[in-house]
Amino acid sequence: MKFNIKDVAKKAGVSISTVSRVINESKVVRQETQEKVLKAIEELGYKPNAIARSLKIKNTKTIGIMIPDISNQFYPEVVRGVEDIANMYNYNIFLCNTDLDEEKEMKYFDVLAEKQVDGVILMGNIVSEELYTKIMFYNIPIILIGTDYENLPSVTIDNTKAAKSIVSYLIKKEHNRIGMITGKNYDPVVGVARLNGYKEALKENEMLFETELVVEGGYRFKSGYEGAKKLLSLSDRPTAIFVANDEMAIGAMRAALELNVKIPDELAIVGFDNIDMSEKFYPALTTVAQPMYEMGAIGMRVLTKILNEEAIETHKIVLNYSLLERESS
Amino acid sequence: MKFNIKDVAKKAGVSISTVSRVINESKVVRQETQEKVLKAIEELGYKPNAIARSLKIKNTKTIGIMIPDISNQFYPEVVRGVEDIANMYNYNIFLCNTDLDEEKEMKYFDVLAEKQVDGVILMGNIVSEELYTKIMFYNIPIILIGTDYENLPSVTIDNTKAAKSIVSYLIKKEHNRIGMITGKNYDPVVGVARLNGYKEALKENEMLFETELVVEGGYRFKSGYEGAKKLLSLSDRPTAIFVANDEMAIGAMRAALELNVKIPDELAIVGFDNIDMSEKFYPALTTVAQPMYEMGAIGMRVLTKILNEEAIETHKIVLNYSLLERESS
DNA sequence: TTGTAGGCGTTATCAT
DNA sequence: ATGATAACGCCTACAA
């Protein structure tokens, strides 16, 4: 039930090179012959073996995408962007969940290399030195999305500026005690950057940075929930909280709602990312939107360019964020 | 910078067959030789080419997974289950978003076949006859998750029974006007099944099925929102609504909240699936939990068994659902 | 325009 | 225990 190029050749009464030519749409083959071959292909239900092809031509039309966890709301959207563009250029994608675990990252990278992927897309908060060494060694085209490292190509947004702008927005709305629930403080490009944006906004408006107003979170719902409970138990409560990502922000809203604190009247809450859920929650969350789908799509697009060795303007792409004012502020 | 088995052989001063043996952990090679080879591999940073290997041994240790849309909340969780088990058995997965589009499904299936995947996992509401023919023709091991068709292996839950049980729960709570927002009515295994469960529960309790109480939805937030608005505008409102999936249920809750209808006091809402968001929403949604992660994990596990030609008890696996009573009812 | 033959990097059979 | 060699299915000079 599985035929190869030889079978087609025999059936069509031509050589295998001719069959190969029609498969690859070489212009040189005569119309008649082409039709004969096409007919044979059709009749046998023949499909070329991409593995054999890859071995010969040394590319596989597949790329690997390493992300922390597909079941974390942030990633599906960017993966979708990647996949759409990949599909458009006839690439398939290997999905790898790393859980931010360095060992898993290393292992997956090895496997992807062995499977001869043409390139890889990497997400996660930091790239370890080990991984970087490996990347350099194998010399596989790579692009980072949502993070940045050394001279590797990347697509990101300016997290500091974005954070600063949403905190400034809060200040403009007359809030003068603004709390923050941060991300991970060992993570420079997201966690620290957003915290810095918060600090900068305060400074620019001559407001004091008070340590009791900032609590470290961990990006997940629970830490937002707990962070908010902590901030709301302060004797001198904040009137607004900037939460470093939407999932935590939703946790924070939940905490406030449970305590019967009115949003936004008694407490404004703003998030970061614009995950799907943020607009569906009630009240809908004011947030800084990262263009997640676009980050994926553009990342993949750039990767195809790199793979085709097309000229590329810059290897560090910084996309625009946007402020989405909704009901929570 | 890229070496092959020949380079290793030369460097170690042995033949390529020996190198191949140590790579594949053949027992016959002498300790000393093995060490020599391992050293050469190490020094060169050699990684075997999986493509060449696959061509020879006729398996690729990769499987394809076709789902409607990874950015739809339901799928990431099952994909994660699939990937975890796949990883455990050293498989990689090609992720394919079909958008429930038959053409895309056909195209992806062809590509997966050409890339010689060892098996495929298929999700989506129906499998078209065309696709089925193709599956049979290529004879690629396949397993359906969350849907079912002919004699193909599948892992599902009993949607009718689950729907019936949650509606019965509502009835037990003294609701006697229960509305429903359905899924797609052309989709037998999910849409129709859940509607049937609703009908059965009514019947069993000698309640009338009233057409004005059921509105057709489409699984997405917006249709739940609109469906609820419609039901709430009835002169004789339902006191409870069974919504065919969580995303719509959340839309329905949003509609009620906006209209200042108290949940659950004036209106109980229950959903289906138990997506991540359902417990984070306020009020948290009462729902029938599909074991999404397990469906993925078990599906993949069964697939590995099929691939290893291990005996398999049954090809139609029906998992248990569970009722999660939360705040919305 | 078409065919012949070598090779892509492995594995596996058969000798040695 | 090790080595030579023929596949695996395809592409691509080169020859005809």
Side-chain angles (χ1 to χ4, degrees):
Chain A
M1 194 57 109
K2 262 213 162 155
F3 302 103
N4 60 25
I5 200 171
K6 225 168 167 176
D7 301 317
V8 177
K10 197 182 301 167
K11 174 134 197 164
V14 299
S15 75
I16 61 172
S17 17
T18 301
V19 177
S20 175
R21 286 192 190 95
V22 349
I23 291 169
N24 295 295
E25 299 176 319
S26 156
K27 290 281 147 200
V28 300
V29 27
R30 195 150 39 104
Q31 180 94 24
E32 279 180 76
T33 342
Q34 164 153 323
E35 279 162 15
K36 267 197 307 194
V37 173
L38 254 18
K39 185 153 155 275
I41 289 177
E42 174 68 27
E43 286 179 18
L44 293 179
Y46 164 77
K47 291 285 168 205
N49 181 325
I51 295 293
R53 177 164 212 277
S54 291
L55 179 59
K56 180 67 189 174
I57 68 178
K58 292 175 173 328
N59 73 36
T60 53
K61 283 288 180 183
T62 102
I63 64 127
I65 173 165
M66 308 199 345
I67 59 174
D69 181 7
I70 192 68
S71 59
N72 180 331
Q73 292 238 8
F74 183 76
Y75 300 99
E77 199 69 34
V78 359
V79 169
R80 189 49 147 104
V82 170
E83 218 262 330
D84 282 355
I85 305 301
N87 186 25
M88 193 173 296
Y89 288 87
N90 295 307
Y91 284 87
N92 288 100
I93 69 178
F94 278 131
L95 182 73
C96 310
N97 293 104
T98 65
D99 290 317
L100 254 22
D101 173 339
E102 284 187 25
E103 262 187 65
K104 268 182 133 179
E105 286 181 350
M106 298 287 280
K107 193 189 142 220
Y108 267 126
F109 197 84
D110 278 344
V111 173
L112 291 175
E114 289 181 15
K115 292 205 170 162
Q116 315 295 123
V117 296
D118 296 339
V120 356
I121 290 181
L122 183 58
M123 299 190 73
N125 40 25
I126 38 181
V127 355
S128 68
E129 272 187 59
E130 272 186 311
L131 219 207
Y132 183 69
T133 310
K134 210 183 263 285
I135 292 168
M136 291 294 101
F137 181 76
Y138 287 141
N139 198 24
I140 296 181
I142 198 170
I143 184 159
L144 309 178
I145 297 184
T147 181
D148 197 14
Y149 190 75
E150 299 275 324
N151 59 339
L152 295 175
S154 66
V155 7
T156 51
I157 61 163
D158 184 333
N159 280 282
T160 303
K161 207 166 131 218
K164 182 176 168 187
S165 91
I166 197 164
V167 175
S168 301
Y169 153 85
L170 250 17
I171 296 173
K172 221 161 281 151
K173 290 204 95 175
E174 317 263 290
H175 290 283
N176 48 26
R177 261 185 91 67
I178 301 174
M180 174 168 183
I181 301 172
T182 72
K184 293 289 191 187
N185 293 337
Y186 57 71
D187 155 23
V189 356
V190 175
V192 174
R194 293 180 192 173
L195 175 58
N196 285 341
Y198 167 76
K199 287 180 183 167
E200 285 182 19
L202 294 187
K203 195 171 196 178
E204 192 169 288
N205 291 275
E206 287 157 3
M207 287 166 65
L208 239 51
F209 175 83
E210 297 178 55
T211 46
E212 73 163 7
L213 284 181
V214 356
V215 353
E216 183 172 358
Y219 301 120
R220 306 310 305 247
F221 181 86
K222 192 152 174 272
S223 59
Y225 179 84
E226 286 163 359
K229 286 241 159 147
K230 209 147 142 195
L231 291 174
L232 289 174
S233 69
L234 256 31
S235 55
D236 190 8
R237 273 185 186 175
T239 62
I241 304 178
F242 165 46
V243 191
N245 78 344
D246 286 354
E247 184 171 329
M248 286 195 295
I250 283 164
M253 288 206 280
R254 168 105 208 175
L257 260 13
E258 283 182 15
L259 294 171
N260 246 312
V261 174
K262 301 269 175 300
I263 300 173
D265 300 340
E266 301 173 44
L267 179 71
I269 291 184
V270 299
F272 200 114
D273 281 351
N274 191 32
I275 61 176
D276 181 56
M277 190 168 164
S278 63
E279 70 167 327
K280 291 174 180 160
F281 200 84
Y282 188 79
L285 181 65
T286 293
T287 194
V288 185
Q290 292 205 66
M292 296 173 291
Y293 181 91
E294 284 73 19
M295 288 166 77
I298 290 174
M300 184 64 213
R301 181 67 187 97
V302 171
L303 188 55
T304 64
K305 284 193 180 173
I306 295 176
L307 295 177
N308 291 325
E309 288 165 341
E310 288 175 34
I312 216 172
E313 318 74 56
T314 165
H315 282 227
K316 300 285 187 190
I317 297 179
V318 180
L319 262 31
N320 289 327
Y321 54 83
S322 55
L323 219 88
L324 263 29
E325 182 168 20
R326 294 201 274 235
E327 302 159 348
S328 69
S329 67
Chain B
M1 196 55 112
K2 262 209 163 160
F3 302 102
N4 61 22
I5 200 170
K6 226 167 166 176
D7 300 317
V8 177
K10 198 183 300 167
K11 173 131 195 167
V14 299
S15 74
I16 60 170
S17 346
T18 302
V19 176
S20 176
R21 285 192 190 96
V22 348
I23 292 169
N24 295 296
E25 298 175 322
S26 155
K27 289 282 147 200
V28 301
V29 27
R30 195 150 40 103
Q31 180 94 23
E32 278 180 78
T33 349
Q34 164 152 323
E35 278 161 15
K36 264 196 311 194
V37 172
L38 253 19
K39 187 154 153 272
I41 288 177
E42 174 69 27
E43 285 179 18
L44 293 179
Y46 164 76
K47 292 283 169 208
N49 181 324
I51 295 292
R53 177 165 211 277
S54 291
L55 178 59
K56 181 66 188 170
I57 68 179
K58 292 174 174 328
N59 74 37
T60 53
K61 284 286 180 184
T62 102
I63 65 127
I65 172 165
M66 308 197 349
I67 59 174
D69 180 7
I70 191 68
S71 58
N72 180 332
Q73 293 237 8
F74 183 76
Y75 302 99
E77 198 70 35
V78 359
V79 169
R80 190 47 147 105
V82 170
E83 218 263 329
D84 281 355
I85 304 301
N87 186 25
M88 193 173 296
Y89 288 87
N90 296 307
Y91 284 87
N92 287 99
I93 68 178
F94 278 130
L95 182 72
C96 310
N97 294 104
T98 64
D99 290 317
L100 253 22
D101 173 339
E102 283 187 25
E103 261 187 66
K104 267 182 132 180
E105 286 181 351
M106 299 287 280
K107 193 189 142 220
Y108 267 126
F109 197 83
D110 278 343
V111 173
L112 291 176
E114 289 181 15
K115 293 206 169 161
Q116 313 295 122
V117 295
D118 296 340
V120 355
I121 290 180
L122 182 58
M123 300 189 72
N125 41 24
I126 38 179
V127 356
S128 67
E129 271 188 59
E130 273 186 310
L131 219 208
Y132 183 70
T133 310
K134 210 182 262 284
I135 292 169
M136 292 293 103
F137 181 77
Y138 287 141
N139 197 23
I140 295 181
I142 198 170
I143 184 159
L144 309 178
I145 296 184
T147 181
D148 197 13
Y149 190 76
E150 298 277 323
N151 59 339
L152 295 175
S154 66
V155 6
T156 51
I157 62 164
D158 185 333
N159 281 281
T160 303
K161 206 166 133 217
K164 180 175 170 188
S165 93
I166 198 163
V167 175
S168 301
Y169 153 85
L170 250 17
I171 296 173
K172 221 160 282 151
K173 290 204 98 175
E174 317 262 290
H175 291 284
N176 48 26
R177 261 185 91 65
I178 301 174
M180 174 169 183
I181 301 172
T182 73
K184 293 289 190 187
N185 292 338
Y186 58 72
D187 155 25
V189 357
V190 175
V192 174
R194 293 181 191 172
L195 176 57
N196 283 342
Y198 166 77
K199 287 180 182 166
E200 286 182 20
L202 294 187
K203 194 172 199 178
E204 192 170 288
N205 291 274
E206 287 158 3
M207 287 166 66
L208 240 50
F209 175 83
E210 298 177 54
T211 46
E212 72 163 9
L213 283 182
V214 356
V215 353
E216 182 171 0
Y219 300 121
R220 306 311 303 247
F221 180 85
K222 191 151 174 275
S223 58
Y225 180 84
E226 286 162 359
K229 288 241 159 145
K230 208 145 141 197
L231 290 175
L232 289 173
S233 69
L234 255 34
S235 56
D236 191 8
R237 275 185 186 175
T239 61
I241 304 178
F242 166 47
V243 191
N245 79 344
D246 286 354
E247 185 172 329
M248 286 195 295
I250 284 164
M253 288 207 278
R254 167 105 208 176
L257 260 13
E258 282 182 14
L259 295 172
N260 245 314
V261 173
K262 301 269 174 300
I263 300 173
D265 300 341
E266 300 174 43
L267 179 71
I269 291 184
V270 300
F272 201 115
D273 281 351
N274 190 33
I275 60 176
D276 181 56
M277 190 167 163
S278 64
E279 70 167 324
K280 291 174 180 161
F281 200 85
Y282 189 78
L285 180 66
T286 293
T287 194
V288 185
Q290 291 205 67
M292 298 174 289
Y293 182 91
E294 284 73 18
M295 288 166 78
I298 290 174
M300 184 63 213
R301 181 68 187 94
V302 171
L303 188 54
T304 65
K305 283 192 180 173
I306 296 177
L307 295 178
N308 291 325
E309 289 166 341
E310 289 175 33
I312 216 171
E313 318 74 57
T314 166
H315 282 226
K316 300 284 188 190
I317 297 178
V318 179
L319 263 30
N320 289 325
Y321 56 83
S322 54
L323 219 89
L324 265 28
E325 181 169 20
R326 292 201 276 233
E327 301 159 348
S328 68
S329 67

